Amino acid sequence: MPKTAVITGASSGIGAASARALAADGWHVVIGARRVDRLEALAAEIGGTAMELDVTDQASVDAFCEAVESCDLLLNNAGGALGTASMAEADIDQWQWMYDVNVLGTVRMTKALLPKLVASGDGQVIVIGSIAAREPYKGGGGYNAAKHAVAAATRVLRLELIGQPVRVSEIDPGMVETEFSVVRFGGDEEKAAKVYEGVTPMSAEDIADAVRWVASRPRHVNIDQILMLATAQTSAQVVHREL
Ligand code: NAP
């Protein structure tokens, strides 16, 4: 019987690419996000199961996780950033959304699926963090705070699960061209495109390659943390552009 991988935020970007990669490796993928039409198209393409999921809504998380029969891998990927306001101009609603989707979303999903992950006998939790979890940058306050919190919670989980059959891994990407920047800039595609101007960023498939590698290590190997950057990026805001 194929193993089951649950992937949050699979309607786009890294989540969708990871669903494709894991399905190609023989996993049964259960994919969740709010945009169900996209999920259903992807599920039809790769033979997975699509279900509506809002990780900021406890009732939605409960319904989704109850419908998951068994779970061998949870990829906590749903998340994102809003805005680039300075601390002086911090938008509390944006901070609240970033904390809810990135941090509490990861906690809600992990807590709900942990019994099934333990019961699998060889469970794995993979969290998509960010370089923003390791390095504060100007204008990144809310996202930095949220991703630092995600990293802290992930590392606590790893500590607490020692001796139990669940591995815990964190993959922290730098710049990846997805819908991330369009969301961050409130739908402003021109502003989002400028982020990738003159540079070859990583693709969602590059991160999915790391996910599939982490997911396919033997059970005695836990990949704790991976930081992966585009060659042209050496730090959150140090990017070489060929303009
Ligand atoms: P993306 O293309 O915008 O994808 C984000 C995904 O999260 C979408 O599928 C979205 O689906 C889902 N999502 C957002 N809110 C959700 C909610 N409340 N409940 C369920 N799903 C929700 O961006 P991405 O780059 O692939 O982002 C994936 C992860 O990588 C995020 O955690 C992001 O912070 C992280 N990351 C991205 C980059 C980058 O440069 N792109 C770098 C480092 C880390 P719906 O809107 O359909 O719900």
Side-chain angles (χ1 to χ4, degrees):
M1 217 175 80
K3 288 180 158 195
T4 297
V6 171
I7 303 168
T8 69
S11 61
S12 162
I14 295 168
S18 298
R20 285 194 178 91
L22 291 174
D25 279 358
W27 293 80
H28 172 235
V29 293
V30 178
I31 53 179
R34 295 165 302 173
R35 289 171 291 179
V36 181
D37 49 337
R38 286 182 176 215
L39 288 181
E40 282 172 351
L42 179 58
E45 176 195 322
I46 62 178
T49 304
M51 284 195 287
E52 187 172 3
L53 171 67
D54 181 346
V55 298
T56 68
D57 176 353
Q58 189 63 51
S60 170
V61 168
D62 289 344
F64 180 97
C65 293
E66 269 162 35
V68 171
E69 274 175 38
S70 63
C71 179
D72 303 274
L73 167 63
L74 167 62
L75 177 62
N76 277 309
N77 164 77
L82 283 186
T84 52
S86 66
M87 293 299 294
E89 302 287 333
D91 180 321
I92 301 303
D93 289 341
Q94 290 187 338
W95 275 65
Q96 219 142 30
W97 180 83
M98 287 189 274
Y99 198 82
D100 206 3
V101 68
N102 291 288
V103 188
L104 301 182
T106 295
V107 177
R108 286 188 189 98
M109 289 300 297
T110 304
K111 186 177 173 194
L113 287 174
L114 204 47
K116 288 172 184 168
L117 287 159
V118 171
S120 77
D122 181 20
Q124 270 189 291
V125 179
I126 303 177
V127 176
I128 303 297
S130 173
I131 188 172
R134 299 182 179 222
E135 198 191 318
Y137 57 89
K138 285 182 185 176
Y143 188 54
N144 283 144
K147 288 297 195 187
H148 273 70
V150 170
T154 304
R155 294 166 200 178
V156 169
L157 185 70
R158 165 88 171 112
L159 288 168
E160 290 177 350
L161 288 179
I162 193 163
Q164 296 206 55
V166 182
R167 289 177 275 161
V168 181
S169 306
E170 173 187 336
I171 299 175
D172 290 333
M175 182 187 277
V176 189
E177 190 164 8
T178 61
E179 291 175 17
F180 177 85
S181 295
V182 177
V183 172
R184 182 169 214 169
F185 297 124
D188 186 336
E189 301 205 356
E190 219 172 293
K191 206 168 167 187
K194 284 228 170 302
V195 173
Y196 312 109
E197 207 170 56
V199 63
T200 304
M202 292 186 291
S203 66
E205 289 70 28
D206 292 326
I207 314 306
D209 267 350
V211 169
R212 86 191 311 171
W213 180 74
V214 169
S216 59
R217 293 313 84 214
R219 63 194 302 168
H220 68 283
V221 176
N222 191 98
I223 304 300
D224 281 47
Q225 297 168 29
I226 293 177
L227 172 66
M228 52 191 297
L229 303 178
T231 306
Q233 180 178 30
T234 50
S235 169
Q237 289 182 325
V238 180
V239 176
H240 174 72
R241 296 182 194 274
E242 307 264 350
L243 293 171

